[in-house]
């Protein structure tokens, strides 16, 4: 499953989300960037058309992995210079009170390249995030991500009976850096209170904005623990563009003392440039090291964001330092990442356990071990000396 966290493993990168309009149907929405597709320029019947093929398998996620349904659907997409996204949905028969996993394979038919994705959803939850449908009023398109910024205007659709009020909680808590992988401290689920709570009248024309940075938790019933989470982590997220943001992940590579000295600098951009230049001693090498490090930070935000930024999570920390895992095994509640040549044991392995979290279905905790101390400090030392660390080097 390592391809899931390696964007270079495939040429197409579709987005998906599930929406439950009622108790018997779920809609699988998908979006694909047409610039990533191969358009036919020779066959007269398919001139300037791309073709995608969607295959899905619907499985019972209650530990049985029983196959419930499967379908293959094809779409021909006409080249359009004004629109670079193709968006549509597939209806799927689902039942209330069931938990599902859907395996989705999208193929660029003319290029013979595919992308595989897995989504788990629980239709037993009244406040399930999939019960909410969000549309961006500016683009008039459904939202495929729960990442928002201050300029967004959103409409929320909630298809449940007798609902005329929704509730919103705003959490402004800034979460700390993850502990190093060798830490012996036990990670406990954290309880934290909202900074503000309010109710708003709900109807199909309600338009909402989320101007403050933080975590917004929207519910139809506050007596239940589940709901829909929207995250405002600044105007550029998941990218980092400001020096004040870019200097934060450097904490992975520095001592606490050095990091505090960096933060105390008056000119944050100059401090950041000096840090990387001191590591490499060469401007060209510094640029390459910066490109690699912050591309990993960006992808960590894309893949691992939960209730906090992806780079601040355990998986984001390991991904940033060691890179995408060459081998990964994934189950419903666990991921195991393996680095190094599997024929030359012992390989380096990290195990992440999925945590129950009302704000996110993407929260995983690393099984920490003191045995990671040596390899961790080796990796950090290589980065500090201006090189990208890799297992075996």
């Amino acid at each position: 499953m390592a391809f899931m966290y390696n964007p270079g493993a495939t040429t197409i990168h579709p987005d998906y989300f599930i929406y439950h309009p009622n108790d018997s149907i779920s809609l699988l929405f998908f979006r694909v960037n047409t610039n990533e597709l191969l358009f036919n320029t020779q066959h007269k019947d398919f001139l300037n058309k791309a073709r995608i093929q969607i295959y899905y398998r619907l499985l019972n996620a209650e530990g049985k992995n029983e196959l419930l349904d499967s379908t293959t659907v094809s779409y021909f997409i006409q080249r359009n210079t004004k629109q670079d996204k193709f968006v549509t949905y597939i209806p799927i028969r689902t039942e209330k009170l069931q938990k599902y996993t859907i395996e989705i394979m999208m193929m660029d038919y003319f290029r013979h390249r595919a992308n595989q994705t897995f989504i788990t959803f629980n239709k037993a939850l009244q406040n399930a995030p999939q019960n909410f449908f969000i549309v961006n009023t500016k683009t008039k398109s459904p939202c495929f991500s729960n990442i928002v910024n201050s300029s967004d205007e959103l409409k929320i659709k909630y298809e449940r009976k007798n609902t005329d009020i929704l509730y919103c909680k705003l959490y402004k808590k800034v979460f700390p850096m993850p502990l190093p992988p060798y830490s012996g401290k036990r990670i406990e689920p954290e309880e934290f209170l909202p900074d503000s709570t309010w109710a708003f009248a709900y109807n199909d024309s309600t338009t909402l904005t989320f101007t403050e940075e933080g975590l917004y938790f929207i519910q139809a019933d506050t007596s239940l623990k589940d709901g829909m989470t929207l995250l405002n982590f600044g105007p550029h997220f998941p990218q980092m563009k400001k020096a004040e943001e870019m200097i934060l992940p450097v904490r992975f590579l520095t001592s606490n003392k050095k990091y505090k000295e960096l933060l105390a600098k008056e000119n944050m951009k100059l401090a950041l440039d000096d840090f990387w230049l001191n590591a490499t001693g060469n401007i060209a090498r510094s640029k390459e090291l910066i490109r690699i490090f912050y591309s990993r930070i960006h992808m960590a935000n894309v893949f691992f964001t939960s209730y906090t930024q992806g780079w601040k999570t355990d998986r984001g920390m390991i991904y940033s330092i060691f890179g995408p895992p060459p081998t990964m095994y994934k189950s419903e509640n666990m991921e195991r990442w393996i680095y190094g040549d599997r024929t030359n044991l012992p390989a380096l392995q990290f195990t992440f356990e999925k945590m129950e979290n009302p704000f996110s279905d993407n929260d995983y905790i690393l099984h920490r071990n003191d045995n990671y101390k040596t390899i961790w400090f080796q990796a950090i030392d290589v980065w500090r000396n201006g090189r990208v660390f890799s297992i075996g080097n």
Side-chain angles (χ1 to χ4, degrees), residues 194-209:
D195 292 272
S196 57
T197 302
W198 64 93
F200 58 91
Y202 164 75
N203 57 60
D204 288 344
S205 61
T206 302
T207 300
L208 302 173
T209 57

Side-chain angles (χ1 to χ4, degrees), residues 117-325:
T117 302
F118 293 83
I119 302 174
T120 298
F121 57 94
N122 189 348
K123 207 164 181 181
L125 303 176
Q126 180 179 328
N127 271 346
Q130 294 84 12
N131 291 345
F132 297 85
F133 186 80
I134 310 174
V135 174
N136 188 310
T137 61
K138 293 182 179 179
T139 63
K140 294 181 171 50
S141 62
C143 295
F144 283 80
S145 168
N146 67 340
I147 305 299
V148 300
N149 62 54
S150 301
S151 64
D152 287 336
E153 294 182 356
L154 306 178
K155 282 188 178 181
I156 295 178
K157 189 175 184 180
Y158 182 78
E159 292 287 357
R160 287 296 180 266
K161 296 179 181 179
N162 303 320
T163 301
D164 55 8
I165 294 178
L166 294 178
Y167 303 89
C168 186
K169 300 175 183 177
L170 171 60
Y171 299 83
K172 296 183 181 180
K173 181 178 174 62
V174 178
F175 291 92
M177 300 281 292
L179 296 172
Y182 57 83
S183 174
K185 185 177 179 180
R186 181 176 174 83
I187 306 297
E188 298 289 350
E190 189 171 1
E191 296 285 342
F192 51 96
L193 299 175
D195 292 272
S196 57
T197 302
W198 64 93
F200 58 91
Y202 164 75
N203 57 60
D204 288 344
S205 61
T206 302
T207 300
L208 302 173
T209 57
F210 302 90
T211 56
E212 296 185 75
E213 292 189 16
L215 183 155
Y216 294 84
F217 192 55
I218 299 175
Q219 297 176 289
D221 185 346
T222 56
S223 67
L224 303 176
K225 69 175 184 176
D226 302 290
M228 178 186 65
T229 297
L230 297 176
L231 302 167
N232 182 346
F233 288 141
H236 306 300
F237 191 84
Q239 297 183 12
M240 284 188 171
K241 294 188 176 182
K242 294 182 179 180
E244 292 79 5
E245 298 172 328
M246 296 176 67
I247 207 164
L248 299 177
V250 169
R251 178 64 185 91
F252 290 141
L253 309 178
T254 64
S255 66
N256 190 42
K257 180 182 177 182
K258 291 286 187 184
Y259 184 65
K260 288 182 177 179
E261 290 176 357
L262 281 173
L263 294 181
K265 298 286 187 181
E266 187 173 334
N267 188 324
M268 203 67 71
K269 184 181 184 308
L270 184 60
L272 190 64
D273 290 342
D274 287 344
F275 170 82
W276 291 107
L277 189 58
N278 290 334
T280 63
N282 180 289
I283 292 178
R285 285 178 56 199
S286 292
K287 289 182 177 180
E288 180 63 9
L289 205 63
I290 288 171
R291 183 191 67 79
I292 294 172
F293 184 74
Y294 287 103
S295 67
R296 291 184 181 180
I297 295 295
H298 174 219
M299 296 316 302
N301 285 338
V302 171
F303 294 134
F304 311 126
T305 291
S306 54
Y307 56 89
T308 189
Q309 297 94 325
W311 73 267
K312 277 189 172 183
T313 65
D314 285 352
R315 289 182 296 170
M317 171 179 62
I318 299 303
Y319 191 95
S320 300
I321 299 303
F322 296 96

